Amino acid sequence: MEEEHREGQGGEGGSRRRKKSIWRRQPGEGTSTAAPEVPPAVPMEEEPAVVPGDEDEPVGPKKSELRSRLGWAVIRAIYDDLPDFQVRRLEGMGFRPFLRLEELTPDVALIQALKEWWDPECHVLLFPWGHMVPTLEDVVRITGLRVDGQAVTGTTYTSYQEPVERLLELEVRGESSSLVGRTALQASLGVASARHRTGEEQAEYLARLTEDARAVLAEEEGVAADRDLRRFLILVIGKLILGMRGDPVSCRCLPLLEDLTQVGSYAWGAALLAHLFDNLGTSSRETGVAGFFPLLQVWAYYHLPSLRRGVARRRGAVPLLQRWRFCRDERSLRRQVTLIHDAMDTIPFGHVQWTPYVGEDDATQLWVERGRPYFGRDIWLHCFNTVVPLHHRLVARTLGLYQAVVEFPTRQRSWERPGRSFRGIQQVTDWTVRVREQLDDWERRGKEVVSEAASDEDYYRAYARRYGAQVYRGTRRPLDPEGRIASLEGVLHSTIQQRDDLQAVVDQLRGELERTQQMVGGASSSREDPGRSILEGQLAAARAEDALAQLREREQELRTALAQTTALEAEMAELRLRPEVAEVARWRQEAEAAARWQQDAEEAVRLRAEAGDLRTQLVEERHRGDMLRSEMRGLERALALVGRSRLVTSRSGIPSGSAGHYLTGSSGRRRNEEEERRRRERAPEGSETGPRVMAPPSPRPLEGTGESG
């Protein structure tokens, strides 16, 4: 059963363009849209556009979060206005309990949280205390739909235009499609507009819908009445039982409605569960939920009462969905989901209700007795191209059994499956042939779940090894990557269960011992048949001895179980402290690292300042070096000129003193020019002080050069 058949047929979702509408708050209405009450929601209409606020403000689902769409109010209004003979026909088909259900306000946060725990490989929910999943018994008790009979399967076609025109006198949306416009389908049943009018109360709204439907529906049996009934069934199945994300209604099941006398022979409840399983496996980023989500909502109310998401009402009402209403929560959707995750991570294992239906009066629920042969079985669920397994062996505790260690299934497909976004139709497919093996399994009613385990301990250990910390979703999840804490909590819970069972046995044995002692006393006082009294006394004494021996043995087992429980509690307390110690050590390491980082940062600032000072000094030293090199070059040129002047003087007979005076004047002029250049470099930009040109020194008369007469 580790396979899943799911291919896009019927063109579902082929056209998903949806009109935007603005939701305006009425005077006196609360701010939360997570659980609307006044005015009641009409999910058939386009979703209200809600602007998200702060985290503590109650807001509706964001674009990335789950939204639910059901046409409950419209369908109930049409049903209430059907002629009596049509109501009797629906009752004969087994739809009456389902159609008489009252609308349940969606608990969007709960559905979103449970969707994040869904494992698409096993088709179960993964919780810290083990696997859980809605079963066929949950479906029939909560919804009243039939789960026995023929599988909802058959042939899917490339186009449904011909049967839709022939049986419904409507048109499909597109040449190759199985979708019918929801507005057109409602209009054919007399409900042209399902919108609330301004200031319209719920009673007035339903009365208007009923009046509109009454004017269109056929009042007598015949072809027109059959057409009306098929249209109504398509709306019920396409929007409630097998609801889709989006506005159109699927007509895949229309071939099964051609013969109206056979409609009641199909297991519509099993198809509902298959469709819900398949859509729970979609990404959490999906903006809608397909399928009958109130089933999962009420299932959680029964099995996880510690969450306190539902409020009980109408005790004794059936189906069980009638007994609950949503507990309004004013917090934001994201905040609610986070709180649910945190609560699920810390729920004591003993607070989970595995058998909540014990003590129910099934005499008033004929649909339960009819579906009982399908309870407690591993079985394949069918809904045309959706064929998924119900792994009931993973939740044997719902049958009052201990959970044995079983192989955890994985998803394996023998053929390539197109992606979830694939919605086109490639070819005509007969699913009675394509999945013949799984269909035979349904017809054989699957395989009964049995368990010979004496406790849940081995299962808890195997579960922890397989999933580890994957079972935690909250913000305060324990540091338990190997799942050891979850395993010990499970073993502790199993030990407590065994202790309670042993205590019950001890009480029973003590009662039997007291009855035996009374029997022995009565036999000794009887004088009618002494031989018989002696024999009965001996027999009673022997039974008493056996009872005492069993009592001592059971008491010893109980002491052992209590000792194991105490040891497990101590070990669990130690394990719970380890994450806290590790957290403190981690904080200390982070604080030390932060202090070291601060010291390093201060040292880096000091080094940067020193580097800046050194850079400034280096610039100044480079400038001084340039000046010295310039002076050295001037001196070298002066020395060269002195040398050349001496040579010229020696050759021409010019006194050396005149040459020295000339060279001295040249050297001074160059020095003055160098100082003027440096002064210009230091002067600020735009200064009016211009360069001053020093006149060359005036030539002096050479000594001893006067002409003699």
Side-chain angles (χ1 to χ4, degrees), residues 16 64-66 115 245 282-288 420:
R16 292 194 171 188
S64 61
E65 291 160 348
L66 173 150
K115 186 176 180 180
R245 288 181 298 272
T282 60
S283 171
S284 59
R285 296 182 179 180
E286 291 282 356
T287 58
R420 190 169 299 280

Side-chain angles (χ1 to χ4, degrees), residues 27-265:
E29 183 179 352
T31 57
S32 174
T33 60
E37 290 185 356
V38 181
V42 185
M44 283 288 289
E45 297 303 319
E46 280 70 24
E47 297 297 331
V50 181
V51 179
D54 297 332
E55 183 177 356
D56 293 331
E57 294 179 1
V59 298
K62 299 179 182 178
K63 182 178 179 181
S64 61
E65 291 160 348
L66 173 150
R67 294 182 304 210
S68 56
R69 298 171 59 84
L70 291 180
W72 215 319
V74 175
I75 291 174
R76 181 60 186 269
I78 298 174
Y79 174 74
D80 289 342
D81 198 53
L82 288 174
D84 293 340
F85 73 92
Q86 297 282 43
V87 174
R88 288 193 296 270
R89 296 174 77 180
L90 289 171
E91 183 176 358
M93 296 175 185
F95 287 111
R96 186 175 184 273
F98 180 75
L99 293 173
R100 294 186 65 83
L101 294 175
E102 294 186 3
E103 183 173 3
L104 178 67
T105 303
D107 190 345
V108 181
L110 178 61
I111 303 300
Q112 179 71 37
L114 293 177
K115 186 176 180 180
E116 295 179 12
W117 260 294
W118 182 258
D119 180 20
E121 290 191 354
C122 292
H123 292 93
V124 291
L125 296 160
L126 300 180
F127 293 129
W129 52 84
H131 299 95
M132 292 192 81
V133 67
T135 64
L136 292 176
E137 182 178 3
D138 295 308
V139 173
V140 72
R141 288 185 180 276
I142 293 173
T143 68
L145 284 174
R146 182 176 182 178
V147 297
D148 62 303
Q150 301 181 57
V152 177
T153 188
T155 303
T156 51
Y157 300 94
T158 56
S159 175
Y160 285 78
Q161 183 63 47
E162 187 275 331
V164 168
E165 291 180 350
R166 177 168 52 88
L167 299 176
L168 303 180
E169 297 184 5
L170 298 173
E171 294 183 357
V172 296
R173 302 181 60 172
E175 182 178 353
S176 297
S177 175
S178 67
L179 302 178
V180 173
R182 185 263 306 171
T183 304
L185 182 57
Q186 287 180 185
S188 69
L189 292 169
V191 182
S193 175
R195 292 185 180 276
H196 272 284
R197 295 175 180 173
T198 304
E200 187 177 35
E201 299 293 338
Q202 179 71 357
E204 298 174 353
Y205 168 72
L206 293 177
R208 175 170 58 83
L209 295 182
T210 303
E211 182 179 356
D212 294 341
R214 187 179 299 114
V216 174
L217 298 175
E219 295 292 338
E220 297 180 357
E221 298 184 13
V223 176
D226 291 347
R227 181 194 59 212
D228 291 343
L229 187 57
R230 291 191 184 96
R231 289 174 176 174
F232 179 69
L233 288 173
I234 282 292
L235 186 61
V236 171
I237 296 171
K239 293 304 295 183
L240 289 183
I241 298 177
L242 307 179
M244 296 165 38
R245 288 181 298 272
D247 201 49
V249 181
S250 174
C251 293
R252 283 182 305 166
C253 62
L254 184 57
L256 302 183
L257 307 182
E258 184 168 3
D259 185 359
L260 292 173
T261 62
Q262 296 297 316
V263 174
S265 64

Side-chain angles (χ1 to χ4, degrees), residues 499-606:
R499 182 195 62 191
D500 295 341
D501 294 342
L502 290 173
Q503 185 64 50
V505 173
V506 167
D507 295 340
Q508 180 182 358
L509 289 174
R510 285 175 177 169
E512 185 175 352
L513 178 60
E514 292 177 358
R515 290 192 299 272
T516 302
Q517 291 174 348
Q518 293 175 0
M519 184 184 300
V520 171
S524 61
S525 61
S526 175
R527 298 181 179 179
E528 296 179 357
D529 191 352
R532 180 178 178 181
S533 299
I534 294 174
L535 183 60
E536 289 179 352
Q538 293 176 349
L539 180 60
R543 291 180 61 186
E545 292 177 358
D546 292 341
L548 286 173
Q550 292 180 8
L551 178 61
R552 294 190 186 97
E553 183 179 354
R554 293 294 185 182
E555 287 179 346
Q556 184 61 37
E557 292 177 357
L558 180 59
R559 292 192 186 95
T560 304
L562 287 173
Q564 292 177 355
T565 302
T566 304
L568 285 174
E569 288 176 344
E571 188 173 356
M572 286 180 61
E574 181 183 357
L575 284 175
R576 287 194 179 97
L577 289 175
R578 288 179 185 176
E580 298 178 1
V581 174
E583 191 73 10
V584 171
R586 183 175 63 83
W587 289 343
R588 186 181 293 109
Q589 292 176 358
E590 291 178 354
E592 294 175 355
R596 288 195 300 269
W597 180 85
Q598 186 175 3
Q599 293 176 359
D600 294 342
E602 294 174 353
E603 183 69 17
V605 171
R606 186 181 62 80

Side-chain angles (χ1 to χ4, degrees), residues 271-330:
L272 179 152
L273 193 60
H275 187 65
L276 182 63
F277 281 5
D278 184 66
N279 285 278
L280 282 174
T282 60
S283 171
S284 59
R285 296 182 179 180
E286 291 282 356
T287 58
V289 57
F292 191 70
F293 67 87
L295 167 66
L296 191 62
Q297 185 172 331
V298 176
W299 173 86
Y301 293 167
Y302 271 106
H303 290 80
L304 305 174
S306 297
L307 295 179
R308 299 179 181 178
R309 299 293 299 182
V311 178
R313 63 166 185 171
R314 295 187 179 180
R315 299 186 181 278
V318 292
L320 302 185
L321 189 145
Q322 297 279 64
R323 301 184 185 181
W324 294 92
R325 66 177 178 87
F326 170 56
C327 182
R328 187 181 179 90
D329 196 329
E330 295 294 337

Side-chain angles (χ1 to χ4, degrees), residues 426-474:
Q426 301 300 319
Q427 58 185 356
V428 176
T429 304
D430 185 356
W431 294 95
T432 62
V433 177
R434 180 77 176 272
V435 292
R436 185 68 254 176
E437 181 181 353
Q438 288 75 22
L439 193 57
D440 290 341
D441 176 81
W442 171 264
E443 294 173 353
R444 293 193 301 267
R445 300 177 183 174
K447 182 180 179 181
E448 184 180 4
V449 175
V450 295
S451 175
E452 298 180 356
S455 71
D456 302 324
E457 296 182 12
D458 294 337
Y459 165 78
Y460 282 124
R461 293 190 179 96
Y463 185 81
R465 287 194 302 268
R466 172 64 176 81
Y467 298 106
Q470 182 181 347
V471 298
Y472 299 108
R473 299 284 180 181

